[in-house]
């Protein structure tokens, strides 16, 4: 299956350096078109959508497409130009948000929360969605990391180890404090993103404790 979009990283190179392609994990992912050294910047990308103070935690309780947050998201998507709207609707939606795609379901499945302070309250939060950065799939052993630069209004993605040409790029969606969090993080990812993590860390943990009977474990 061919790439459906290849876009160069902004302000870095004239030639494309990443591609959106079908991922072995399912859906699509972001792949390196050349090698990258540890610490090298891969992407610098401005948000497709940037919504301040849109509470996600309330939506966790309601899961309602009729919430005030959902209305804000729908209005923002409608204001995108047709080409960007088309790209937005290509993103997947986690089953927890319903079988039929909605603007809010796609947004909550794929957005990245950026906080201005340590309180992590709704008023200090920017909920952002990016055409390329939000194509990054999860791994508990990532090969890239991201950092939002407020002054430049850009999400910067850097290699956290050497990356070979053709590798899929992975970021960590939720930070773990150790092995004891592995099962709870897998449950979290399945509930809110719709997948069971099968990265090297999770596979090694499940093997070590002989947890073949758990949901999402296949041999």
């Amino acid at each position: 299956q061919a790439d459906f979009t290849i876009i160069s990283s902004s302000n870095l190179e004239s030639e494309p350096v990443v591609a959106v392609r079908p991922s072995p994990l399912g859906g699509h992912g972001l792949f390196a078109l050349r090698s990258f050294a540890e610490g090298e910047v891969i992407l610098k990308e401005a948000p497709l959508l940037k919504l301040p103070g849109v509470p996600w935690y309330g939506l966790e309780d309601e899961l309602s497409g009729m919430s005030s947050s959902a209305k804000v998201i729908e209005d923002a998507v409608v204001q995108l130009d047709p080409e960007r709207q088309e790209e937005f609707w290509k993103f997947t939606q986690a089953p927890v948000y319903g079988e039929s795609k909605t603007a809010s379901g796609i947004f909550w499945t794929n957005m990245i929360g950026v906080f201005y302070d340590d309180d992590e309250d709704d008023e200090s939060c920017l909920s952002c969605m990016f055409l390329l950065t939000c194509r990054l799939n999860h791994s508990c052993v990532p090969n890239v990391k991201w950092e939002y630069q407020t002054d430049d209004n850009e999400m910067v993605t850097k290699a956290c180890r050497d990356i070979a040409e053709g590798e899929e790029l992975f970021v960590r969606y939720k930070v773990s404090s150790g092995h004891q969090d592995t099962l709870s993080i897998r449950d979290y990812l399945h509930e809110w993103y719709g997948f069971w993590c099968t990265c090297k860390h999770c596979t090694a943990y499940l093997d070590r404790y002989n947890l073949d009977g758990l949901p999402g474990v296949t041999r």
Side-chain angles (χ1 to χ4, degrees), residues 1-203:
Q1 187 173 356
D3 306 340
F4 71 78
T5 182
I6 299 178
I7 307 175
S8 62
S9 49
S10 65
N11 304 321
L12 292 177
E13 300 181 23
S14 58
E15 294 297 320
V17 296
V18 295
V20 178
R21 295 174 175 169
S23 170
L25 300 179
H28 289 81
L30 205 60
F31 292 78
L33 293 181
R34 66 164 179 82
S35 61
F36 292 93
E38 181 179 354
E40 188 174 357
V41 174
I42 300 172
L43 283 173
K44 296 174 72 176
E45 186 179 18
L48 170 71
L49 293 171
K50 178 181 175 183
L51 305 179
V54 178
W56 181 62
Y57 300 105
L59 190 73
E60 281 191 307
D61 298 326
E62 298 177 25
L63 289 180
S64 171
M66 303 299 291
S67 68
S68 57
S69 296
K71 184 66 166 62
V72 170
I73 295 165
E74 289 170 4
D75 290 345
V77 172
V78 169
Q79 292 176 35
L80 295 173
D81 63 57
E83 183 178 353
R84 287 176 173 264
Q85 284 192 44
E86 182 180 357
E87 291 298 317
F88 173 87
W89 288 103
K90 288 179 181 177
F91 280 86
T92 58
Q93 174 177 299
V96 70
Y97 299 109
E99 294 183 3
S100 300
K101 279 187 176 182
T102 63
S104 57
I106 290 174
F107 184 80
W108 291 127
T109 301
N110 297 282
M111 72 90 184
I112 301 170
V114 180
F115 295 97
Y116 282 126
D117 58 41
D118 294 333
D119 292 336
E120 296 194 2
D121 59 26
D122 295 332
E123 295 304 318
S124 67
C125 177
L126 278 178
S127 299
C128 300
M129 190 164 167
F130 303 82
L131 282 177
L132 286 176
T133 307
C134 289
R135 287 291 183 183
L136 289 166
N137 284 320
H138 165 86
S139 173
C140 301
V141 190
N143 54 11
V144 304
K145 59 184 177 180
W146 54 36
E147 177 182 322
Y148 187 73
Q149 296 187 343
T150 305
D151 292 342
D152 296 327
N153 186 35
E154 289 182 326
M155 183 67 80
V156 177
T157 300
K158 295 182 179 181
C160 54
R161 64 163 173 78
D162 290 348
I163 297 170
E165 179 181 347
E167 270 194 76
E168 183 169 0
L169 306 178
F170 293 99
V171 73
R172 185 161 48 198
Y173 289 178
K174 191 171 177 65
V175 176
S176 168
S177 60
H179 281 287
Q180 67 272 20
D181 286 341
T182 298
L183 296 183
S184 61
I185 287 177
R186 290 183 84 248
D187 288 341
Y188 175 91
L189 294 170
H190 181 257
E191 181 174 7
W192 296 110
Y193 294 94
F195 69 89
W196 293 106
C197 185
T198 56
C199 73
K200 293 179 181 179
H201 169 83
C202 288
T203 300

